[in-house]
Amino acid sequence: MSVEETEETPEIEAGVTVEDEVLDTLGDTVQTTEEHLNADASVVVRPDQVQDTLSALRDDMGYDHLSCVTAQEYEDRYESIYHMKQYDDPTQEVSVVVPASKDEPISQSAEPVFRTADWHEREAYDLVGINYEDHPDPRRILLPETWQGHPLGQDYDQDSPQIVTLSEWDNPLRDDHVDDEADTMFLNIGPHHPATHGVLHVKTVLDGETVADVDPDIGYLHRCEEQMCQNGTYRHQIMPYPDRWDYVSAGILNEWAYARAAEDLADIEVPEYAQVIRTMSAELCRIAAHMLALGTFALDVFGDFTATFQYAFRDREVIQNILEDLTGQRMMFNYFRLGGVAWDLPEPREEFFEKTRDFLEELPAKLEEYHDLITGNEIFQLRCVDTGILEPEVAKSYGATGPVARASGIDYDLRRDDPYGYYDELDWDVVTEDGCDNFSRVIVRMQEVEESAKIIEQCVDLLEEWPEDDRTIQSNVPRTLKPDADAETYRAVEAAKGELGIYIRSDGTDKPGRFKIRSPCFSNLQTLGEMSEGEYIPDLIASLGSLDIVLGEVDR
Amino acid sequence: MSSDNPIDGGSTDMLTDTRDARMGEGLDDRFNSRLREALGSSPFILTKFDKFMNWVRGSSMFMLQFGIACCSIEMIHTYAIKHDLDRFHAGVPRASPRQADVIIVPGTIVSKFAPRMKRVYDQMPEPKFVVGMGSCTISGGPFQEGYNVIKGAEEVIPVDIHVPGCPPRPEALVYGVAKLQERIANGESSPVVVKPYELEQFGDMERDEVVDKLADQIDEETLAMRYNWADSP
Ligand code: SF4
């Protein structure tokens, strides 16, 4: 189905448009309104009224999900865009645009309203150079503290030398405990540590065995993904990069995020046949990603390379083989094209279907085995049940999505709530759990694997029956895409870790003017402090594992 | 003493029985290996000590458990079921650099990480070997033009073997490791390269604009790395 239809409907039905309602609620705070391709309303407010505007929108109109904060620099001004949604209905979207002056880019921080704004605004400061007033912690986040300049700003010189220090970290709580009986100890976890799933650095302060303070220090894998995408042309040069954001074989899910945003921007239709292939391959990726999450979580909780870990990798190999047949690569698929997919299913098709069906057939038995090994294991339960609690309200305030949110009882899945691809034609369920703990997060992932298997099975059925003369894999897309200047869109898909959104602003050329990635892991990781402060240190490791972050996506 | 036989009471009959059975008739040749058979009756092999050490080094490599980016996922696959790097005398991932001989650098190195990687490398005992995995460790790979990306691992530490690919398949990594073993067994070591990026004390750095600007932020004694992006390849 076309993407445009879903957006228009609420406006037409309501009679009073969402924009009117928003204007009503906000009164004279609004300076003007702007065009935004998919937000129902896009309002411009003064930089000192950010908090008022956002809290009005949240409290009076139910926009309780601050999905993305995009900062950018124009010739004459800076701009922060707060993209808001509703957890109950993510198709209700409002963009709040906050311009700031060129000489003194100061804007009010949204952190007191939405906790998630903390990191998002730090990133905006780091990369673009907007200062946020009232921000509790205005440090750089992705680049080292000693960095000079703001790389996504306009007059940044990439060739200027930089100095990066290797210093020891200070215990931030040392002075709090001077006359106390208790003593604190500072502990570095990472950036090279097996339990951090990559190059995350967690500055931890321990009081005895309890965690007194955690501060995830990220940026050890900040590979300038946004810059790379801004330097690439829409048609071909951007698509390889999404594979490298969430690189645990979730590539196709990420490609879909870019494809969806760009197709929306340039108004491209995708043939139905391609949508089915997309849906199938994306769900295969989801299983692979969740398997890795499961395996590494077992690694964190049980330690060392145990059976669960090896089993998970055994199953991933099978999926990777199927995907390799389909796309030609084991990990970096580069399979989507704007307007479809790169090529049709491999010949002979029967063989491919058989292989996929074999995998699906064996899956229930394998999952049973996983349940025996981990979820049914008493030690595992002791470690995971009721540890790392994340209350739904807290999760919402941090903008948590994906399995992390669903394990806290938040029924939010873009595949169902903001349908794309072929999902709304298929029969499957969104999995939620109310436990809010580490255990629920694992269970949600395992059940999602079952749901994904259901989806794949239905897609395989469809593809098998698909009439041979109707197998269009790509629609006609011009070689060079030049969307209208100043068209902007924010589009998200449900990736393995949650809402993966892309903001693109076109500047009239064949390359995006601004390309911003809203990564689910970035938001999810922020909840680590809430989950682990006051808990034991081993629970911190379990919580970190249950968040299932990928540093490539956190740092981008 | 064999432990798989249940021993009851104090009698040692059973033990002697099994030992006799194992030894069989005639000469005791339990300690004879195939190798010895091949070499004839002499229990000695004459070789140069260096050569022997190289052979030992290559045949028992402890890898550092070190993950950076996408390539590390393929590296884990190489360690795990199916590809099983262990089959090639190279499969014991050690979590601590102090116990490792070989470091596989699997991914993109960015400015913030390079000093830490250097530190990890420095902590490994000599002799140590480096396998660069993926295009990122050769040149920065797909991110070569990024403002924050080091243009290859060789800018920071010496690299013995480069395995190209993005990511290299597990088979390619296995091949790379095998090549490394071959080199080690032949006593070859990595070429000494001039590394553009070294850790040095901030106070020792040449004074220029950036250093002046940071002078009140960074302590003289603090170790720092200076990136001259303009001179990068
Ligand atoms: S070479 Fe490719 S797969 Fe490997 S770390 Fe770099 S981008 Fe990732």
Side-chain angles (χ1 to χ4, degrees):
Chain A
M1 71 187 284
S2 98
V3 186
E4 286 72 34
E5 266 167 32
T6 35
E7 291 147 26
E8 307 296 351
T9 22
E11 286 190 29
I12 297 159
E13 275 169 10
V16 192
T17 61
V18 179
E19 183 158 12
D20 291 341
E21 266 180 65
V22 170
L23 290 180
D24 231 27
T25 317
L26 296 179
D28 354 315
T29 20
V30 178
Q31 290 182 313
T32 44
T33 57
E34 274 192 0
E35 275 291 315
H36 188 101
L37 274 184
N38 66 323
D40 301 316
S42 178
V43 294
V44 181
V45 303
R46 283 217 321 266
D48 54 353
Q49 280 167 332
V50 177
Q51 289 173 10
D52 292 345
T53 314
L54 295 197
S55 41
L57 283 172
R58 183 187 62 185
D59 301 338
D60 304 341
M61 296 193 64
Y63 290 96
D64 53 356
H65 178 28
L66 176 56
S67 174
C68 178
V69 181
T70 312
Q72 50 187 330
E73 186 180 359
Y74 289 90
E75 289 302 327
D76 58 339
R77 64 178 191 281
Y78 284 90
E79 203 176 82
S80 324
I81 305 174
Y82 296 85
H83 197 89
M84 306 176 72
K85 290 184 176 187
Q86 298 181 359
Y87 268 107
D88 291 336
D89 179 6
T91 53
Q92 302 285 317
E93 297 171 73
V94 169
S95 263
V96 178
V97 182
V98 189
S101 80
K102 190 89 178 179
D103 318 322
E104 242 184 303
I106 299 179
S107 179
Q108 198 177 34
S109 166
E111 199 271 347
V113 190
F114 287 99
R115 303 291 302 278
T116 185
D118 181 351
W119 279 22
H120 282 281
E121 285 174 351
R122 273 174 71 186
E123 185 192 318
Y125 161 69
D126 193 358
L127 300 186
V128 183
I130 302 176
N131 290 307
Y132 291 91
E133 224 170 5
D134 285 351
H135 193 283
D137 190 15
R139 283 178 295 152
R140 286 185 180 267
I141 186 165
L142 295 174
L143 292 169
E145 269 302 301
T146 48
W147 200 263
Q148 303 293 312
H150 303 278
L152 295 186
Q154 282 191 331
D155 46 9
Y156 181 71
D157 174 17
Q158 202 179 318
D159 285 341
S160 59
Q162 301 284 353
I163 291 177
V164 177
T165 57
L166 176 79
S167 48
E168 283 183 23
W169 304 101
D170 262 344
N171 179 349
L173 294 191
R174 188 185 294 128
D175 298 336
D176 296 359
H177 287 262
V178 270
D179 31 55
D180 213 340
E181 280 286 280
D183 194 11
T184 55
M185 183 178 106
F186 181 71
L187 184 69
N188 273 313
I189 308 178
H192 159 231
H193 188 280
T196 55
H197 298 205
V199 282
L200 171 69
H201 173 207
V202 189
K203 299 185 207 164
T204 319
V205 182
L206 297 179
D207 183 356
E209 237 190 300
T210 24
V211 177
D213 182 56
V214 289
D215 178 13
D217 172 25
I218 61 175
Y220 292 95
L221 193 52
H222 175 53
R223 305 190 276 192
C224 332
E225 301 268 14
E226 288 175 7
Q227 181 205 18
M228 292 295 110
C229 292
Q230 277 165 214
N231 292 349
T233 55
Y234 290 104
R235 187 73 169 93
H236 294 295
Q237 292 180 340
I238 296 180
M239 199 54 95
Y241 285 100
D243 286 322
R244 291 163 178 82
W245 302 340
D246 176 357
Y247 45 68
V248 294
S249 296
I252 287 182
L253 295 155
N254 308 349
E255 286 172 25
W256 208 335
Y258 168 62
R260 192 176 187 200
E263 280 157 9
D264 195 24
L265 194 72
D267 220 351
I268 300 170
E269 288 283 332
V270 182
E272 217 169 317
Y273 180 64
Q275 292 285 28
V276 182
I277 299 183
R278 280 183 171 192
T279 311
M280 179 191 67
S281 50
E283 291 309 309
L284 280 168
C285 278
R286 192 182 309 275
I287 296 185
H290 282 355
M291 283 295 170
L292 186 109
L294 200 66
T296 48
F297 187 63
L299 192 74
D300 290 344
V301 175
F302 293 145
D304 236 333
F305 294 93
T306 48
T308 325
F309 178 82
Q310 299 286 357
Y311 285 4
F313 274 80
R314 173 198 65 191
D315 296 343
R316 274 173 55 87
E317 284 285 350
V318 181
I319 304 171
Q320 285 192 318
N321 273 344
I322 298 176
L323 284 170
E324 191 182 352
D325 288 349
L326 181 67
T327 67
Q329 246 276 28
R330 282 166 57 90
M331 273 177 68
M332 303 301 169
F333 310 107
N334 191 13
Y335 181 56
F336 279 24
R337 295 287 178 271
L338 299 186
V341 293
W343 41 70
D344 202 350
L345 304 181
E347 293 290 345
R349 292 164 70 92
E350 295 71 39
E351 215 169 89
F352 178 78
F353 292 134
E354 202 187 302
K355 215 168 166 181
T356 318
R357 278 194 200 285
D358 282 350
F359 167 69
L360 295 175
E361 239 160 64
E362 286 164 14
L363 196 63
K366 285 176 176 167
L367 283 171
E368 194 63 28
E369 202 171 14
Y370 286 119
H371 278 295
D372 280 350
L373 274 167
I374 49 180
T375 52
N377 181 325
E378 235 174 89
I379 303 172
F380 184 86
Q381 290 172 0
L382 278 175
R383 289 275 319 259
C384 299
V385 176
D386 274 342
T387 58
I389 301 285
L390 183 66
E391 298 293 345
E393 283 317 308
V394 180
K396 282 185 181 175
S397 171
Y398 278 105
T401 49
V404 176
R406 288 194 284 275
S408 291
I410 301 170
D411 194 5
Y412 180 80
D413 190 324
L414 293 175
R415 288 175 290 172
R416 179 200 59 196
D417 300 337
D418 182 10
Y420 55 96
Y422 215 71
Y423 288 111
D424 50 350
E425 312 276 323
L426 305 172
D427 175 32
W428 59 283
D429 296 309
V430 176
V431 181
T432 57
E433 281 282 329
D434 292 324
C436 309
D437 54 5
N438 293 338
F439 194 70
S440 306
R441 286 187 276 278
V442 175
I443 289 283
V444 163
R445 289 204 184 91
M446 291 183 69
Q447 288 175 354
E448 271 180 19
V449 169
E450 285 170 41
E451 295 301 323
S452 297
K454 262 198 231 166
I455 298 176
I456 299 169
E457 198 166 353
Q458 294 171 48
C459 289
V460 172
D461 288 344
L462 281 168
L463 289 172
E464 234 167 357
E465 303 289 304
W466 211 273
E468 212 174 332
D469 47 7
D470 191 24
R471 293 184 189 155
T472 329
I473 49 161
Q474 265 182 47
S475 56
N476 239 336
V477 181
R479 235 162 186 289
T480 322
L481 277 181
K482 286 188 183 168
D484 303 335
D486 277 330
E488 44 187 339
T489 189
Y490 171 78
R491 271 290 174 201
V493 299
E494 187 72 27
K497 321 290 195 248
E499 176 182 338
L500 176 62
I502 307 293
Y503 167 90
I504 305 180
R505 176 177 58 84
S506 152
D507 57 2
T509 64
D510 57 349
K511 296 172 181 174
R514 176 80 171 98
F515 191 101
K516 155 89 190 166
I517 308 156
R518 186 264 183 212
S519 121
C521 294
F522 185 74
S523 299
N524 290 354
L525 179 59
Q526 282 190 70
T527 62
L528 184 65
E530 295 283 344
M531 285 162 47
S532 50
E533 274 165 32
E535 305 271 334
Y536 289 117
I537 176 95
D539 296 343
L540 165 77
I541 299 298
S543 299
L544 185 58
S546 79
L547 280 177
D548 183 24
I549 50 160
V550 166
L551 270 299
E553 200 178 61
V554 174
D555 295 347
R556 284 153 292 142
Chain B
M1 239 195 271
S2 158
S3 59
D4 17 49
N5 292 304
I7 304 165
D8 55 346
S11 156
T12 53
D13 281 359
M14 204 195 251
L15 278 179
T16 4
D17 283 356
T18 32
R19 191 170 63 217
D20 289 346
R22 207 170 56 224
M23 279 166 64
E25 298 287 313
L27 217 75
D28 175 6
D29 66 346
R30 272 175 300 158
F31 301 109
N32 270 341
S33 62
R34 300 237 165 141
L35 186 65
R36 180 117 158 240
E37 254 166 53
L39 289 169
S41 59
S42 156
F44 302 105
I45 305 171
L46 267 182
T47 176
K48 276 194 268 175
F49 189 67
D50 276 2
K51 213 166 168 197
F52 174 70
M53 282 312 286
N54 285 338
W55 174 77
V56 168
R57 260 175 211 140
S59 312
S60 158
M61 303 204 296
F62 280 22
M63 320 297 267
L64 179 65
Q65 192 178 337
F66 186 68
I68 305 179
C70 349
C71 276
S72 52
I73 303 294
E74 280 298 64
M75 185 185 72
I76 301 175
H77 274 274
T78 318
Y79 284 130
I81 274 180
K82 187 169 173 192
H83 298 99
D84 195 5
L85 193 59
D86 217 353
R87 293 175 297 160
F88 306 97
H89 331 285
V92 195
R94 312 301 303 186
S96 163
R98 292 191 172 82
Q99 302 165 349
D101 315 315
V102 181
I103 173 175
I104 300 181
V105 184
T108 326
I109 302 146
V110 303
S111 70
K112 204 171 169 178
F113 193 61
R116 273 85 191 169
M117 185 177 79
K118 178 86 171 75
R119 175 52 68 88
V120 168
Y121 175 78
D122 287 344
Q123 284 172 344
M124 289 168 55
E126 292 280 357
K128 49 195 167 189
F129 306 94
V130 181
V131 178
M133 181 183 184
S135 329
C136 282
T137 58
I138 296 174
S139 64
F143 305 99
Q144 211 262 348
E145 284 158 26
Y147 51 81
N148 192 28
V149 174
I150 311 289
K151 324 289 182 245
E154 220 151 23
E155 309 270 294
V156 187
I157 57 177
V159 176
D160 294 81
I161 297 278
H162 289 285
V163 184
C166 183
R169 297 179 61 93
E171 293 88 333
L173 184 61
V174 170
Y175 181 72
V177 170
K179 277 283 161 200
L180 176 66
Q181 288 171 331
E182 217 178 283
R183 293 191 54 169
I184 297 173
N186 291 337
E188 296 168 28
S189 60
S190 67
V192 178
V193 286
V194 183
K195 289 163 283 162
Y197 302 147
E198 279 286 2
L199 272 178
E200 52 185 328
Q201 287 198 340
F202 184 69
D204 295 345
M205 279 186 185
E206 231 174 274
R207 310 286 297 192
D208 68 357
E209 214 183 319
V210 209
V211 176
D212 284 340
K213 235 190 253 170
L214 289 166
D216 49 346
Q217 258 185 59
I218 307 177
D219 206 65
E220 294 261 304
E221 317 240 296
T222 306
L223 289 176
M225 209 174 247
R226 182 201 165 94
Y227 301 109
N228 296 316
W229 299 119
D231 308 335
S232 283

